[in-house]
């Protein structure tokens, strides 16, 4: 009997101690975000909807000389308010071609084409022929004039990289009509256009990467890759190693499983699916094994790699394009999503995390990856038929509360007429 009473007393003491611990835990407020499920650090983004124009290309240029990267998309540029946040004011700086719900602008890139010290905009589109550059007038409130570079029909995207090893970025373009890949060297007095391969190698998607580890940039297409022998003299070696379908832009290369060999990451730009190809074998017996990353959403038309969480390892960033073929692609009416994937380089596994789900933000045809607000972390931006979006990385958040209060989701016209009356707070019965 005494023994049972001791056990009962111990049990009561344990319950009291447990209850005390629970009460203590419940009264402690966590004031900073922690890790996600399974203790994995997770990055949160605040999405800002900046405009509703339809251009799908986007880049950054300091348009007003204040030292901040402004967003440039289609006919407009959006003025960066700086680290304190605020309104991204829209300004027009050029005109564009429009057809139905499309702007003929699937890609924009920042190059100083005429080497006058001011960045120009290089752009192309699917509706109109041509790769064009818009000349920076170096003074405000003047429309930028366009100049023709070369023919480029049915262009849905491109990729940048140092193709010829001169230390300066080049631009490669692919074509939906299989008219032949081109790449452009902007290092000379005028842009120099190079042609690579023929109709059989060109298609929807292109990338620039060193596939075989020889320290030269190769060109990746939906049907294989061109080994760089001497890019400046148009010497390439074709390797028809794969069939990627309508791949997104760019086709990415990354050593996913950390085995010292470059692998390939690609999405389906006009259907469902995100995949990676594992490079196996050696130069004499190179082959590729396909792995599925995600098949739950469609129109993965733009992809990027960037270290958005600051751990020294890049994440894969992608999302759903909106109405790439005016509602005729599979999954056109599915919710818009933008995701990032952490890559486990030991197992080759990709873990998905949300950036924006079922909102207005889409993947578009390009990602901007840059510290746009100057707070020390990598932000993102996209453009598309739902408008320009700025994804503010909150890993470092220095925006004052007063500014956040000006950006509430609350309807400032509420309450509505006749909805009710204003009441006073009732805090409980009066003390007795």
């Amino acid at each position: 009997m005494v023994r049972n009473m001791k056990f009962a007393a111990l049990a009561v003491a344990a319950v009291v101690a447990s209850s005390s611990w629970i009460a203590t835990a419940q009264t402690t407020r966590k004031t900073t975000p922690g890790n996600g499920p399974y203790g994995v650090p997770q990055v949160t983004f605040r999405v800002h909807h900046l405009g509703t124009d339809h251009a799908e290309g986007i880049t950054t240029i300091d348009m007003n000389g204040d030292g901040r990267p402004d967003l440039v998309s289609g006919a407009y540029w959006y003025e960066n308010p700086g680290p304190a946040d605020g309104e991204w004011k829209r300004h027009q700086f050029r005109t564009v071609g429009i057809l139905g719900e499309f702007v003929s602008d699937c890609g924009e890139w920042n190059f100083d084409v005429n080497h006058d010290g001011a960045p120009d905009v290089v752009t192309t589109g699917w509706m109109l022929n041509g790769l064009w550059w818009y000349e920076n007038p170096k003074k405000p409130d003047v429309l930028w004039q366009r100049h023709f570079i070369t023919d480029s029909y049915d262009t849905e995207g491109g990729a940048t990289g140092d193709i010829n090893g001169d230390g300066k970025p080049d631009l490669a373009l692919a074509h939906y009509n299989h008219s032949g890949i081109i790449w452009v060297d902007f290092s000379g007095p005028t842009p120099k256009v190079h042609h690579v391969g023929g109709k059989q190698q060109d298609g929807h998607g292109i990338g620039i990467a060193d596939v075989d580890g020889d320290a030269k940039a190769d060109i990746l297409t939906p049907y294989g890759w061109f080994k760089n022998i001497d890019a400046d003299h148009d010497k390439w070696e074709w390797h028809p190693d794969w069939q990627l379908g309508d791949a997104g832009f760019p086709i990415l290369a990354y050593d996913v499983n950390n085995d010292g060999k470059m692998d390939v990451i690609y999405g389906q730009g006009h259907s469902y699916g995100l995949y990676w190809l594992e490079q196996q074998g050696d130069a004499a017996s190179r082959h590729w094994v396909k792995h599925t990353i995600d098949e739950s959403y469609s129109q993965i038309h733009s992809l990027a790699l960037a270290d958005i969480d600051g751990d020294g390892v890049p994440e894969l960033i992608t999302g759903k394009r909106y109405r790439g073929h005016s509602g005729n692609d599979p999954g056109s009416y599915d919710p818009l999503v933008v995701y990032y994937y952490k890559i486990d380089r030991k197992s080759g596994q990709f873990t998905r995390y949300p950036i924006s789900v079922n909102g207005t933000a889409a993947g578009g045809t390009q990602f901007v990856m840059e510290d746009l607000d100057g707070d020390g972390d990598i932000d993102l931006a996209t453009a598309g038929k739902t408008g320009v979006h700025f994804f503010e990385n909150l890993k470092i958040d220095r925006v004052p509360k007063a500014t956040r209060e000006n950006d509430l989701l609350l309807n400032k016209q509420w309450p509505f007429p006749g909805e009710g009356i204003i009441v006073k707070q009732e805090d409980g019965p009066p003390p007795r």
Side-chain angles (χ1 to χ4, degrees):
M1 180 72 176
V2 173
R3 185 180 179 184
N4 290 340
M5 290 177 64
K6 288 182 178 179
F7 280 143
L10 288 171
V12 170
V15 169
V16 171
S18 175
S19 300
S20 176
W21 179 86
I22 292 173
T24 302
Q26 289 176 337
T27 58
T28 302
R29 288 186 173 184
K30 185 169 175 56
T31 59
T32 58
N35 293 333
Y38 308 108
V40 178
Q42 191 165 331
V43 183
T44 301
F45 288 83
R46 183 178 178 85
V47 183
H48 302 260
H49 195 177
L50 306 186
T52 55
D53 45 301
H54 284 206
E56 297 183 275
I58 188 169
T59 190
T60 60
I61 291 178
D62 180 5
M63 296 288 284
N64 55 0
D66 63 359
R68 299 169 185 163
D70 303 302
L71 290 171
V72 177
S73 179
Y76 305 103
W77 67 277
Y78 294 82
E79 185 177 347
N80 190 332
D85 200 11
E87 180 186 1
W88 289 68
K89 296 178 182 178
R90 192 178 77 175
H91 311 266
Q92 185 170 357
F93 77 105
R94 68 181 179 105
T95 59
V96 296
I98 297 171
L99 179 62
E101 63 187 52
F102 286 92
V103 172
S104 188
D105 174 34
C106 68
E108 298 190 11
W109 299 274
N110 175 340
F111 286 94
D112 183 3
V113 178
N114 57 355
H115 306 285
D116 64 351
D120 308 300
V121 171
V122 175
T123 183
T124 187
W126 180 70
M127 291 78 199
L128 298 175
N129 171 47
L131 177 67
W132 302 82
W133 70 281
Y134 284 77
E135 184 176 0
N136 189 334
K138 295 189 286 187
K139 51 187 175 181
D141 303 322
V142 176
L143 286 182
W144 295 26
Q145 299 303 307
R146 74 172 187 165
H147 307 274
F148 184 76
I149 297 175
T150 188
D151 288 319
S152 188
Y153 289 91
D154 294 347
T155 317
E156 283 207 29
T160 56
D162 183 7
I163 293 176
N164 57 358
D166 64 355
K168 300 175 182 178
D170 306 298
L171 174 63
L173 298 179
H175 308 90
Y176 219 172
N177 68 347
H178 304 266
S179 57
I181 293 165
I182 62 173
W183 73 274
V184 184
D185 181 356
F186 291 94
S187 64
T190 58
K192 185 176 181 180
V193 180
H194 297 260
H195 296 266
V196 182
K199 291 181 176 292
Q200 296 77 19
Q201 292 87 28
D202 195 8
H204 192 289
I206 197 165
I208 301 171
D210 180 8
V211 174
D212 55 358
D214 65 355
K216 292 182 179 180
D218 308 305
I219 293 179
L220 291 69
T221 88
Y223 306 103
W225 59 285
F226 285 99
K227 176 181 173 63
N228 187 342
I229 306 299
D230 185 350
D232 278 329
H233 295 91
D234 300 321
K235 294 181 179 179
W236 301 86
E237 180 181 286
W238 174 241
H239 293 262
D241 285 7
W242 54 62
Q243 296 281 332
L244 306 185
D246 291 340
F249 293 85
I251 301 169
L252 296 174
Y254 181 67
D255 184 2
V256 171
N257 54 357
N258 202 25
D259 64 353
K261 298 175 182 177
M262 195 65 76
D263 306 304
V264 173
I265 302 172
Y266 68 100
Q268 291 299 300
H270 293 286
S271 58
Y272 286 92
L274 178 64
Y275 307 95
W276 72 281
L277 298 181
E278 180 183 356
Q279 183 178 167
Q280 295 185 353
D282 54 24
S285 62
R286 184 181 289 109
H287 58 282
W288 306 81
V289 178
K290 181 179 179 180
H291 302 271
T292 299
I293 300 173
D294 198 339
E295 294 180 328
S296 65
Y297 59 102
S298 70
Q299 298 176 96
I300 302 172
H301 209 286
S302 58
L303 305 92
L305 287 167
D307 180 12
I308 57 175
D309 60 6
D311 66 353
V313 179
E315 284 72 44
L316 171 64
I317 303 159
T318 189
K320 175 184 174 63
R321 183 185 178 191
Y322 186 59
R323 296 179 65 80
H325 282 159
S326 302
N328 295 311
D329 283 335
S332 287
Y333 302 104
D334 294 347
L336 293 176
V337 296
V338 180
Y339 294 121
Y340 78 89
Y341 297 79
K342 290 194 70 66
I343 305 171
D344 185 339
R345 300 189 70 198
K346 294 180 180 179
S347 64
Q349 295 297 309
F350 291 70
T351 304
R352 189 179 83 184
Y353 297 91
I355 295 177
S356 176
V357 176
N358 201 24
T360 59
T365 60
Q366 285 181 297
F367 277 97
V368 165
M369 303 160 292
E370 193 172 338
D371 183 8
L372 295 171
D373 53 9
D375 62 2
D377 52 26
I378 299 299
D379 308 299
L380 307 172
T382 61
K385 294 179 184 177
T386 56
V388 173
H389 289 78
F390 159 49
F391 304 82
E392 178 192 356
N393 190 335
L394 297 180
K395 182 174 177 61
I396 301 174
D397 183 3
R398 296 174 180 162
V399 176
K401 181 180 179 180
T403 303
R404 295 291 191 209
E405 283 290 314
N406 289 329
D407 193 26
L408 296 179
L409 298 176
L410 300 178
N411 186 335
K412 296 181 180 179
Q413 304 303 315
W414 183 87
F416 307 126
E419 182 177 349
I421 60 173
I422 305 299
V423 298
K424 293 183 178 181
Q425 174 71 38
E426 296 180 354
D427 293 324
R432 293 180 180 179

